[in-house]
Amino acid sequence: MDLEFLQSMDIQILVGVAVAALAIVVGAVYLFASTKSKGCLDPENFKEFKLVKRQQLSHNVAKFTFELPTPTSALGLPIGQHISCRGKDSQGEEVIKPYTPTTLDSDVGYFELVIKMYPQGRMSHHFRELRVGDYLAVKGPKGQFRYQPGEVRAFGMIAGGSGITPMFQVARAILENPKDTTNVHLIYANVTYEDILLKEELDSLAAKYPGRFKVYYVLNQPPEVWDGGVGFVSKEMIQTHCPAPAPDIRVLRCGPPPMNKAMTGHLDALGYSPDMQFQF
């Protein structure tokens, strides 16, 4: 009788140890997952990130690389959302402007911003003055765009100038996800060839994913030898280079206000319903 009692106690102890161990493992996994998903951003308060590299891409465009707290830290920015950056203009007044990083959360330890600096731009002044070792105040994530892999068959994208950054972020996230089969059709408009941002990266995506990613460049002032579009983005260009209206497609647009207004008119006229359109 005593032996049976002892054996029963041993089993109870072993079961208790196993349950406790399992609880510790589950708790650790949950803690890791929640920490990982949280990222480094705060939606309510600005946090400062150190500039560790500045690469001038053209006379008015530069790539800024900012360090995250650890080499394995992720920024914590959902696909298609942006951050608010705070700085000072040439008069010393505070200015806040939204930007979309060109990096994803899979790019751990850092994040990058490709910034076009305009002569009269208030935040442009801040970025012109920014030097390696300086800090940038950032808050986020921000934005209404939500994306789940496979939610549409294809995206059409119409971008102008620096409006390419959210498009590039979304396209990269889609194409680099082996479980996502969504196709991406991009129309990217600029004034001159030199104004095209991220061209090398876009061409690389087109070469790497030829069946899933297509980019059509449009220039208002093209060079003598040019095989892309000329002038402004037209209805005919959209018909040719974007997926036709359907319940399982969506067209994203991001550019200067006059362009966004014109594209809305084109898309409406071509039969794209409001549900099929999104403006960053």
Side-chain angles (χ1 to χ4, degrees):
M1 186 71 177
D2 290 343
L3 183 59
E4 289 179 359
F5 175 77
L6 290 174
Q7 287 176 334
S8 175
M9 286 294 293
D10 288 342
I11 292 171
Q12 289 179 27
I13 291 170
L14 288 172
V15 169
V17 170
V19 169
L22 181 61
I24 290 170
V25 170
V26 169
V29 169
Y30 175 79
L31 180 63
F32 174 78
S34 61
T35 303
K36 185 179 179 183
S37 63
K38 185 179 178 183
C40 301
L41 291 171
D42 186 328
E44 303 299 330
N45 303 292
F46 281 97
K47 296 177 69 174
E48 298 209 334
F49 297 92
K50 184 179 180 180
L51 179 67
V52 293
K53 184 180 179 182
R54 174 182 173 138
Q55 180 184 0
Q56 201 70 28
L57 302 180
S58 72
H59 73 285
N60 65 348
V61 178
K63 181 191 291 184
F64 298 83
T65 304
F66 297 91
E67 185 179 60
L68 295 178
T70 75
T72 57
S73 295
L75 183 60
L77 189 69
I79 298 170
Q81 297 202 5
H82 58 267
I83 55 178
S84 294
C85 299
R86 184 177 66 192
K88 291 188 176 181
D89 63 14
S90 58
Q91 304 301 313
E93 298 291 325
E94 182 178 286
V95 57
I96 298 172
K97 189 175 178 182
Y99 291 96
T100 304
T102 54
T103 42
L104 304 175
D105 279 358
S106 55
D107 303 308
V108 295
Y110 69 100
F111 72 94
E112 291 180 342
L113 296 173
V114 173
I115 305 293
K116 187 169 186 176
M117 290 160 281
Y118 298 92
Q120 305 303 319
R122 297 180 65 204
M123 195 66 188
S124 293
H125 172 80
H126 185 82
F127 277 105
R128 270 196 301 271
E129 298 296 312
L130 210 56
R131 297 293 180 266
V132 171
D134 292 344
Y135 287 80
L136 178 69
V138 171
K139 182 168 71 172
K142 304 285 185 180
Q144 301 301 315
F145 186 80
R146 300 287 187 275
Y147 178 67
Q148 294 297 324
E151 69 179 43
V152 294
R153 171 173 50 86
F155 276 114
M157 296 181 173
I158 306 173
S162 55
I164 189 62
T165 52
M167 307 299 189
F168 179 71
Q169 184 208 56
V170 173
R172 259 198 72 193
I174 290 171
L175 297 169
E176 293 178 8
N177 181 354
K179 296 180 180 179
D180 198 334
T181 59
T182 307
N183 293 325
V184 180
H185 306 258
L186 168 66
I187 298 174
Y188 183 24
N190 285 280
V191 178
T192 69
Y193 185 87
E194 289 70 28
D195 291 324
I196 302 174
L197 302 181
L198 300 168
K199 188 174 189 302
E200 184 177 336
E201 291 85 347
L202 291 168
D203 291 344
S204 177
L205 288 179
K208 190 173 182 180
Y209 306 97
R212 297 184 54 214
F213 179 71
K214 299 185 185 303
V215 55
Y216 181 69
Y217 297 105
V218 181
L219 295 179
N220 194 248
Q221 300 172 15
E224 287 187 17
V225 180
W226 177 247
D227 60 358
V230 177
F232 298 106
V233 177
S234 65
K235 284 192 292 185
E236 291 73 24
M237 290 179 188
I238 295 172
Q239 279 183 307
T240 303
H241 299 284
C242 281
D248 58 352
I249 73 97
R250 205 172 187 195
V251 178
L252 312 178
R253 60 182 185 272
C254 187
M259 179 182 179
N260 285 332
K261 184 177 180 180
M263 294 308 103
T264 302
H266 291 339
L267 292 168
D268 290 345
L270 289 168
Y272 294 89
S273 67
D275 289 345
M276 298 176 197
Q277 302 180 43
F278 181 85
Q279 179 176 308
F280 286 104

